[in-house]
Amino acid sequence: MTDNELNYYADTAYNSEKPRDLPPARDRGDDGYFLNKSLGKPVNLPKKSHCQEFLGLETAGHWHKVAKRRGIWSRPPSQEDGPHVKKIWGNIFEWPVFIRMLNHIFGVMLLIGGGGVSIMSLLPSGPSAEEVFFFLFFPVSIWIIVKFLTRKEPKLKTDTRFLRRTGMVSIYLGKGNRQEIPFDEFDPYVSFTTGPTGSSNLVLNLVHRYSNTAVGYHNSFMFEEDLKAEWEQLCDFMDISRPLPETPVYERCRHWDPVSRMYDEQHNRTRDYWFNMSKGAIHALSMHSYRAIREYPWGQTRQQALAQGWKPSEQRWREEQEARRQAQADDLV
């Protein structure tokens, strides 16, 4: 790595191989019952990824779409402000995030409404004009409008930003002001939230050790294993002793991150690894990654997990392919 590449990261960048000697966290006993209850319970995982199964956090269809677009944006990512530079936790109450939620809501309404109109059209009386308007024309119109408004990458203001190059977490304080706190001063917590239907989901919170500052992840989880995998993915992103997480999101910008580029060169990883992969292969890897997350012995290192017989998704996929080839050979015989 050249001198310029070494200077790419600030002295404050987070490195799990060289942890800082931090003082113990402050006692939260005086914060009150309700505050501690809202923060949840500690996850008790290290700030270092071991499971490294990030593909199972999203659906296979999503990852295939991302891989084929070679990035998460319609335009090429910026070298100075791309996804390799910062990871964003959005605020659901901010307009660009809220309107994207509407896009999904009306998309579902369109799917359900279109199916309802199709079923009613099979009846002798058929759907009325009011039913066609309410179930089909109205959601289609709103969906088209929202789709037009969300055609560009949103510019967020109140989001939380995780900065890989500096190791800092940038938190919005209001009125355009921000505060930066080192990532290694945050600990993961899990709390529970109840949805409108009464279902209980899990929320990932990052709590500052030395103050009441806390930030929450914008998505909830059904399973605690997924929450832990999301925490590991964040650690992998911030940790400059590791390359960027191995997902299609970072496909177009891994070469701009010195550690990722050096890792890819050493392991002969092509720059179009995900882009050139078929939809079926990504789907299979995603499903195997999902199962690997469920079966991982959380709290143990990757070496300990492998010694106990845990298998990563790529090994499961290779074994599945080999078993399929063997079955085909047996059929020919």
Side-chain angles (χ1 to χ4, degrees), residues 22-305:
L22 296 173
R26 70 183 188 86
D27 184 11
R28 299 189 176 277
D30 298 332
D31 291 345
Y33 171 81
F34 291 103
L35 178 58
N36 286 320
K37 193 70 175 178
S38 65
L39 295 177
K41 64 177 182 179
V43 176
N44 294 324
L45 285 178
K47 290 186 177 66
K48 185 177 179 66
S49 66
H50 292 287
C51 180
Q52 300 171 10
E53 292 291 344
F54 310 129
L55 203 66
L57 291 173
E58 293 281 357
T59 62
H62 166 81
W63 285 129
H64 185 260
K65 180 179 179 181
V66 170
K68 288 304 178 186
R69 290 171 60 188
R70 305 185 69 187
I72 58 174
W73 300 326
S74 58
R75 62 180 185 276
S78 166
Q79 183 174 357
E80 295 301 322
D81 196 36
H84 63 295
V85 175
K86 63 183 178 183
K87 187 176 180 68
I88 295 175
W89 281 10
N91 182 348
I92 62 173
F93 299 105
E94 193 168 3
W95 169 246
V97 179
F98 178 73
I99 197 171
R100 271 168 166 70
M101 291 175 58
L102 288 180
N103 189 14
H104 294 293
I105 291 172
F106 280 98
V108 173
M109 288 179 61
L110 176 59
L111 180 64
I112 297 174
V117 170
S118 299
I119 293 175
M120 287 186 289
S121 64
L122 300 177
L123 301 176
S125 59
S128 64
E130 292 81 4
E131 290 172 334
V132 172
F133 174 80
F134 181 77
F135 290 108
L136 193 61
F137 181 75
F138 176 70
V140 166
S141 301
I142 299 298
W143 184 79
I144 292 175
I145 294 173
V146 174
K147 194 73 174 177
F148 174 78
L149 294 175
T150 58
R151 68 191 186 281
K152 296 181 179 180
E153 184 67 16
K155 293 182 179 180
L156 304 178
K157 296 180 181 179
T158 65
D159 57 313
T160 300
R161 303 167 186 174
F162 297 88
L163 310 175
R164 176 175 169 90
R165 295 177 65 174
T166 64
M168 293 292 179
V169 181
S170 176
I171 301 172
Y172 182 76
L173 299 179
K175 298 181 179 180
N177 297 319
R178 285 187 165 272
Q179 178 186 16
E180 289 193 353
I181 301 175
F183 172 71
D184 57 3
E185 294 183 7
F186 283 92
D187 294 314
Y189 280 64
V190 55
S191 62
F192 297 88
T193 181
T194 302
T197 60
S199 61
S200 180
N201 292 322
L202 305 174
V203 177
L204 173 62
N205 298 316
L206 300 189
V207 181
H208 188 225
R209 289 184 178 183
Y210 313 116
S211 69
N212 286 330
T213 301
V215 293
Y217 187 56
H218 47 271
N219 290 336
S220 59
F221 303 89
M222 291 184 61
F223 305 102
E224 190 166 348
E225 294 88 352
D226 291 338
L227 181 144
K228 292 177 178 178
E230 185 64 46
W231 163 248
E232 275 206 352
Q233 183 171 208
L234 179 61
C235 292
D236 230 27
F237 174 80
M238 294 296 288
D239 188 359
I240 64 169
S241 72
R242 292 274 308 155
L244 291 165
E246 185 57 272
T247 67
V249 170
Y250 304 103
E251 181 89 311
R252 291 194 76 181
C253 53
R254 288 178 66 93
H255 63 286
W256 286 329
D257 183 78
V259 170
S260 301
R261 183 173 66 252
M262 183 172 66
Y263 176 90
D264 292 348
E265 291 173 352
Q266 293 173 348
H267 293 80
N268 296 320
R269 184 196 185 278
T270 63
R271 290 179 62 173
D272 291 337
Y273 175 75
W274 293 109
F275 182 72
N276 291 330
M277 190 175 292
S278 67
K279 183 177 181 179
I282 291 183
H283 176 80
L285 271 174
S286 179
M287 293 299 101
H288 284 306
S289 180
Y290 177 84
R291 298 187 187 100
I293 291 174
R294 296 290 172 277
E295 298 173 7
Y296 189 80
W298 292 97
Q300 300 188 26
T301 66
R302 187 177 180 87
Q303 291 73 19
Q304 291 172 333

Side-chain angles (χ1 to χ4, degrees), residues 3-23:
D3 292 339
N4 289 336
E5 290 175 331
L6 288 173
N7 295 330
Y8 178 84
Y9 306 104
D11 294 337
T12 55
Y14 175 64
N15 188 334
S16 64
E17 300 297 330
K18 301 177 181 178
R20 293 194 300 160
D21 186 15
L22 296 173

